[in-house]
């Protein structure tokens, strides 16, 4: 159980750090590294196939949610304005 919590925490930190420094395209290699690292850690600690897959998927979901939350809280309304097609950011 400790392994799962540590992996989820590290995934959230990686997602948040990526949001603060890079664009959304950077989440592709970050997600790949999270998946590989969590698969290795899950296998090393003796998790079977289905629990290992659920840990990997949980880590990926947590990283994506942390990325989106940090982007939303840092940019706020400017994030919504930047996604509008017809208007420019003031």
């Amino acid at each position: 159980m400790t392994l799962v919590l540590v992996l989820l925490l590290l995934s959230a930190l990686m997602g948040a750090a990526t949001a603060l420094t890079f664009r959304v395209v950077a989440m592709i290699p970050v997600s790949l590294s999270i998946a590989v690292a969590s698969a290795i850690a899950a296998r090393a600690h003796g998790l079977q196939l289905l629990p290992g897959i659920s840990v990997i998927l949980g880590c990926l979901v947590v990283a994506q949610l942390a990325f989106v939350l940090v982007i939303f809280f840092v940019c706020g309304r400017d994030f919504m304005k930047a996604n509008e097609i017809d208007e420019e950011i003031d």
Side-chain angles (χ1 to χ4, degrees):
M1 186 65 180
T2 305
L3 171 72
V4 175
L5 293 176
V6 168
L7 287 174
L8 290 174
L9 177 67
L10 290 176
S11 297
L13 289 175
M14 286 182 71
T18 304
L20 292 173
T21 51
F22 298 110
R23 295 188 181 268
V24 70
V25 179
M27 279 304 289
I28 296 170
V30 170
S31 296
L32 182 63
S33 65
I34 288 171
V36 169
S38 60
I40 291 171
R43 187 66 182 148
H45 285 279
L47 289 178
Q48 298 298 320
L49 182 64
L50 290 178
I53 291 173
S54 63
V55 167
I56 294 167
L57 288 177
C59 288
L60 292 174
V61 167
V62 166
Q64 298 293 325
L65 285 175
F67 182 87
V68 169
L69 286 175
V70 167
I71 288 292
F72 184 73
F73 286 130
V74 167
C75 295
R77 291 185 171 257
D78 293 335
F79 178 70
M80 297 299 181
K81 288 182 183 177
N83 286 329
E84 293 180 4
I85 295 173
D86 296 332
E87 297 181 20
E88 294 181 13
I89 299 175
D90 294 330

